Amino acid sequence: MALLKRLIDWIDVRIGAREVVAKELTGYLLPRNINTWYSMGSILLFIFVLQVVTGILLLIYYVPDADKAFKSVTYIMNEVPFGWLIRMCHVVGSSMMVLVLLFHMISVLFMNSYKSPREMNWLTGFILFTLVQGISLTGYLLPWSQLSFWATTVATNSANAIPVVGPYLVEFLRGGKLVGPPTLGRFFALHVALIPLGIAAVVGAHLFFLQRTGVSTPPFGLKDTTNRWKGDGYSYESHPGGIPFFPNYALEDLRSIFIYLACFLAVVYFDPYLFFTRDSFIPANPLQTPAHIKPEWYFLANYQTLKIFPSEFIGLAVQGAGMTFLALLPFIDRTKERHPLKRPLFMICAIGGIMLWIGLSVWGHYS
Amino acid sequence: MESNGRRTFLGLCLGGLAAAAAAVTAWPVYRYLAPRPAKTTAAKVDIPEKDVPEGEAKFFDFGGASAVLVRKRGGDLIALSAVCTHLGCIVQWEKNKQDFLCPCHGGLYTAEGAVISGPPPKPLTKLPFTVTNGIITVG
């Protein structure tokens, strides 16, 4: 212990570590009525780190070559000790990341935390949401299975609906007329280098904005819910008399992470193929399309929307409009009231939107 | 004092749990990263005699390392490890001089593997072999 204290003293003399800890951790106060939903962000950060670690490990044995990719994945699954564990953590982790991300968004939506002055938090969060979808889509191709190959064919093909530039865009995305070895190279570079760096950078910005504006007060519970910020100057939402981030809320974060880990490992150990279909065990065959090819569960609504509209362009435009609306929500919704029960119209729209999304996904799954 | 004892006990339990969790996480990662045992199961290698003409050397894989068969001018057959005893490079057969040269630091060996000059501290390891019906079996 004396040694540890001497080490901390040594660092403290040089960089003033205790001051940083006091300012950012022990002295960083959160609202007294903060709830568990606020720890979704910490879970996501934890998942992201886990995805990076397992991803780096997979890179050791994975070969990004159309002739060898499927074999190398099979080798990881069957030959490398604990290869199955590393890969399953990565695969299951990706689906869980999208799931927790949706919970995070929904909690921010219903607690109205996206409102002024937190537009930039919401925007960076929205960018993260699209980047996570992008990294999931590109990662899907890498095992070079039938599922990967045809899901990517369908997904890249939807860009075709954009007028004028559509066909060129599809070819640009694929690196050729059809999905093939050049597509694998592109998607590999995006999946392991470009998008992860982008996510890390935007996560940094997201946390920086959170730090600057301060954590929002939940609209329910002890305190008043009025937003006193007038938008005429910078202000930090401090919480005098609140609970310190460390150790109090850090422990709550840790508890949430452990609950997440329990759910995550339950899938990894007891139903590892939950997110797989038969086609993911067959090597890609460009000459044979399997029947009933479907995207990952979080793209089912998009997939079904494209099927409903007679014109692909309208289908795509509707989705684009929906996404734009979501991205610009804090600029559209300008009221100061943050209690969901005092905003019936908002509640109807939000719940209706979520039900629509779930309905479309279920329809897409069974169609 | 009693509450202090309980605190120490809980601290120890927590530390033990953390150590156990770290171990069950680290073990799979270590096993995943550890090199796989080489697939070469046979400790013996068969080489037809006609593959090693007089004055020539034949290099081959022997239990995951490089080995060499030499037939000296005059007909003597020798099996050696091709790994230089200096720093582990693979020696080259110099047909015109009938000796082995290690290209890394200039170690020179006779055809029997004895050190002529250069840094190698020991001769090349001799490998046992038998010849039956025109097949050389090393190992």
Side-chain angles (χ1 to χ4, degrees):
Chain A
M1 276 304 129
L3 188 71
L4 187 70
K5 194 187 164 293
R6 275 178 61 190
L7 183 71
I8 294 169
D9 284 343
W10 191 88
I11 296 168
D12 200 35
V13 167
R14 276 142 193 95
I15 61 167
R18 285 196 176 93
E19 189 187 302
V20 177
V21 168
K23 184 164 178 285
E24 309 294 343
L25 298 175
T26 51
Y28 187 72
L29 299 182
L30 304 176
R32 262 181 306 166
N33 56 342
I34 196 163
N35 56 46
T36 306
W37 289 100
Y38 280 72
S39 57
M40 291 295 140
S42 302
I43 300 180
L44 281 169
L45 200 59
F46 174 79
I47 301 176
F48 179 62
V49 170
L50 209 60
Q51 290 301 97
V52 170
V53 171
T54 50
I56 290 172
L57 287 173
L58 288 173
L59 275 178
I60 291 169
Y61 295 102
Y62 174 74
V63 186
D65 173 328
D67 293 332
K68 296 170 186 158
F70 189 82
K71 231 187 203 162
S72 69
V73 173
T74 311
Y75 178 74
I76 292 171
M77 290 296 282
N78 298 331
E79 307 276 338
V80 183
F82 295 103
W84 59 272
L85 179 64
I86 306 291
R87 173 156 185 250
M88 281 305 144
C89 283
H90 199 71
V91 172
V92 174
S94 72
S95 263
M96 298 291 254
M97 189 167 179
V98 178
L99 188 68
V100 179
L101 187 54
L102 290 176
F103 282 139
H104 188 47
M105 281 176 82
I106 288 171
S107 78
V108 168
L109 199 67
F110 281 113
M111 289 192 269
N112 287 275
S113 316
Y114 58 87
K115 288 193 168 180
S116 177
R118 297 191 173 79
E119 293 95 334
M120 282 160 80
N121 298 58
W122 177 262
L123 273 180
T124 45
F126 184 82
I127 295 168
L128 283 171
F129 175 56
T130 53
L131 285 175
V132 165
Q133 287 184 321
I135 205 165
S136 307
L137 189 75
T138 49
Y140 215 46
L141 180 67
L142 303 189
W144 207 245
S145 66
Q146 274 290 71
L147 185 71
S148 313
F149 188 90
W150 294 102
T152 307
T153 300
V154 174
T156 48
N157 206 38
S158 59
N160 220 344
I162 299 167
V164 192
V165 291
Y168 174 75
L169 197 64
V170 172
E171 206 178 317
F172 183 82
L173 284 172
R174 291 176 178 173
K177 293 257 180 244
L178 297 169
V179 172
T183 322
L184 183 60
R186 276 155 196 261
F187 277 35
F188 179 69
L190 286 173
H191 186 79
V192 307
L194 194 64
I195 306 180
L197 281 176
I199 290 180
V202 183
V203 164
H206 195 65
L207 291 177
F208 174 75
F209 297 144
L210 175 74
Q211 189 80 358
R212 291 299 288 167
T213 39
V215 171
S216 72
T217 312
F220 351 88
L222 310 168
K223 276 176 140 185
D224 64 298
T225 62
T226 49
N227 183 348
R228 288 174 300 270
W229 195 73
K230 298 281 189 293
D232 44 4
Y234 168 73
S235 113
Y236 172 80
E237 188 172 346
S238 56
H239 302 284
I243 60 167
F245 174 72
F246 185 87
N248 297 38
Y249 202 70
L251 271 175
E252 272 205 50
D253 272 345
L254 202 63
R255 180 194 59 194
S256 299
I257 288 171
F258 274 100
I259 291 171
Y260 164 76
L261 265 177
C263 301
F264 166 71
L265 291 176
V267 178
V268 169
Y269 286 114
F270 296 109
D271 198 359
Y273 297 143
L274 182 64
F275 300 112
F276 285 89
T277 66
R278 266 191 64 242
D279 295 317
S280 39
F281 303 109
I282 304 166
N285 180 357
L287 303 174
Q288 193 189 21
T289 312
H292 314 297
I293 193 82
K294 291 228 173 63
E296 273 280 65
W297 63 269
Y298 39 84
F299 287 126
L300 280 172
N302 307 63
Y303 161 84
Q304 190 58 26
T305 312
L306 277 181
K307 285 207 303 192
I308 292 169
F309 289 96
S311 143
E312 267 206 342
F313 174 68
I314 299 175
L316 215 60
V318 166
Q319 288 179 43
M323 288 294 266
T324 311
F325 178 78
L326 201 60
L328 300 180
L329 187 61
F331 301 98
I332 297 161
D333 181 6
R334 305 294 302 171
T335 55
K336 300 286 182 202
E337 179 54 58
R338 286 185 54 225
H339 200 293
L341 293 181
K342 292 175 187 160
R343 309 182 64 215
L345 182 67
F346 167 81
M347 283 293 273
I348 290 167
C349 293
I351 293 175
I354 292 165
M355 296 298 272
L356 181 69
W357 185 83
I358 294 173
L360 282 170
S361 300
V362 173
W363 189 6
H365 179 76
Y366 287 107
S367 66
Chain B
M1 197 59 219
E2 196 174 293
S3 66
N4 221 350
R6 186 202 295 230
R7 174 166 281 253
T8 311
F9 173 73
L10 285 175
L12 278 175
C13 287
L14 203 63
L17 268 176
V24 295
T25 311
W27 173 247
V29 174
Y30 165 73
R31 286 290 292 133
Y32 181 87
L33 291 174
R36 310 284 297 127
K39 278 262 164 67
T40 47
T41 43
K44 290 183 192 302
V45 179
D46 289 337
I47 290 160
E49 247 189 309
K50 62 175 167 52
D51 282 8
V52 197
E54 206 175 298
E56 305 246 2
K58 166 132 183 103
F59 286 82
F60 58 95
D61 187 89
F62 183 71
S66 196
V68 63
L69 266 172
V70 192
R71 191 186 293 282
K72 285 205 301 180
R73 293 198 180 119
D76 268 3
L77 202 60
I78 305 147
L80 296 167
S81 157
V83 180
C84 177
T85 54
H86 178 217
L87 291 174
C89 298
I90 304 301
V91 294
Q92 292 171 353
W93 173 242
E94 299 193 296
K95 195 186 164 190
N96 47 350
K97 294 190 201 153
Q98 295 286 298
D99 63 12
F100 288 106
L101 169 71
C102 178
C104 289
H105 302 94
L108 208 59
Y109 301 86
T110 64
E112 279 90 11
V115 181
I116 303 170
S117 65
K122 283 187 294 185
L124 293 173
T125 315
K126 284 205 162 62
L127 300 174
F129 67 95
T130 52
V131 184
T132 36
N133 302 328
I135 302 284
I136 308 164
T137 307
V138 184

